[in-house]
Amino acid sequence: MRLLIVEDEKRLAISLARGLTAEGFAVDVVHDGAEGLHRALDGAYDLVVLDIMLPGMNGYRVCAALRAAGREVPVLMLTAKDGEYDEAEGLDTGADDYLTKPFSYVVLVARVRALLRRRGGSASPVLTVGALRMDTAARRVHLGDAETTLTAKEFAVLEQLALRAGQVVSKAEILEHVWDFAYDGDPNIVEVYVSTLRRKLGAAAIRTVRGAGYRLEAL
């Protein structure tokens, strides 16, 4: 999944980005509201972590502008404020959840995963495709009774395919959601990870649809 962090406290933003990247997310970071809105409108993000007190354009205005433009991307608001009115104002502008600083990193990750599951239409963190089971909360994959160990990027690629099991997912879509905005390497990196997943899950697990992308098959 690809996340956008809009946070002007640079140390906090970098710390969050490093932690979420280690969890397998592709993360972009900006430090002011106007740039955050521009990036959120143009990018294919699965979730936005949005601070309220931002230079230039505050988080309330950013969120309201996103919703006015028809963007339904989940928004998790961060703020140093903790009053009920502040929380209500954030939710009224279209935010999906609200977290007050200082917060536990573990809680933030749990909120992020819950919002992503809700967006996918499932309250369960487990994705099941035939004999394949992906626990997106525990970051574990089982094929039948056997557990398969995946790296963070392998897990992220497989998750994109599992979320749309039976459908064709293009290489560009995988790149957009698994690699961050700054990635300018070879787009064939997707093929490398698909090849590795086939070795671990079986050659029949992921079918190449020539000229279109990849499809995860039920085993």
Side-chain angles (χ1 to χ4, degrees):
M1 296 292 182
R2 189 172 172 193
L3 311 183
L4 175 65
I5 296 175
V6 189
E7 168 61 67
D8 65 327
E9 294 181 41
K10 294 186 179 181
R11 290 180 63 183
L12 174 60
I14 291 171
S15 176
L16 290 178
R18 286 175 177 168
L20 290 166
T21 298
E23 295 284 338
F25 296 104
V27 183
D28 296 329
V29 178
V30 296
H31 303 296
D32 69 82
E35 176 63 18
L37 177 60
H38 173 74
R39 190 71 65 85
L41 288 172
D42 287 350
Y45 293 103
D46 298 288
L47 183 140
V48 177
V49 178
L50 177 65
D51 188 32
I52 290 178
M53 303 303 292
L54 293 166
M57 187 178 194
N58 68 36
Y60 296 133
R61 292 175 58 201
V62 172
C63 189
L66 275 175
R67 297 305 184 231
R71 297 295 195 277
E72 298 299 324
V73 57
V75 173
L76 173 60
M77 276 193 165
L78 305 179
T79 181
K81 297 182 178 182
D82 59 2
E84 290 183 1
Y85 175 79
D86 299 315
E87 181 174 355
E89 184 175 355
L91 297 175
D92 283 346
T93 60
D96 298 274
D97 203 354
Y98 188 100
L99 202 55
T100 303
K101 301 174 185 176
F103 50 81
S104 160
Y105 174 74
V106 173
V107 171
L108 178 131
V109 173
R111 297 280 187 91
V112 166
R113 295 200 186 283
L115 287 173
L116 291 171
R117 290 198 301 272
R118 192 185 309 167
R119 187 190 191 200
S122 172
S124 172
V126 179
L127 301 172
T128 302
V129 184
L132 177 72
R133 298 192 319 282
M134 293 189 71
D135 188 329
T136 60
R139 313 302 284 174
R140 301 176 71 178
V141 175
H142 286 81
L143 188 57
D145 294 328
E147 183 169 359
T148 301
T149 302
L150 301 181
T151 67
K153 273 288 190 283
E154 289 166 359
F155 191 98
V157 172
L158 183 61
E159 184 177 15
Q160 286 301 306
L161 295 170
L163 285 167
R164 294 170 56 186
Q167 302 176 34
V168 176
V169 184
S170 72
K171 185 188 299 183
E173 288 174 316
I174 295 173
L175 276 171
E176 282 181 345
H177 291 276
V178 178
W179 279 266
D180 61 30
F181 182 79
Y183 180 75
D184 60 357
D186 188 345
N188 290 326
I189 189 68
V190 175
E191 295 176 12
V192 174
Y193 278 90
V194 167
S195 178
T196 302
L197 287 170
R198 283 173 173 149
R199 287 199 300 271
K200 293 185 175 184
L201 303 174
I206 303 173
R207 182 180 298 277
T208 298
V209 180
R210 194 171 298 278
Y214 303 98
R215 183 174 62 234
L216 183 64
E217 305 282 4
L219 298 175

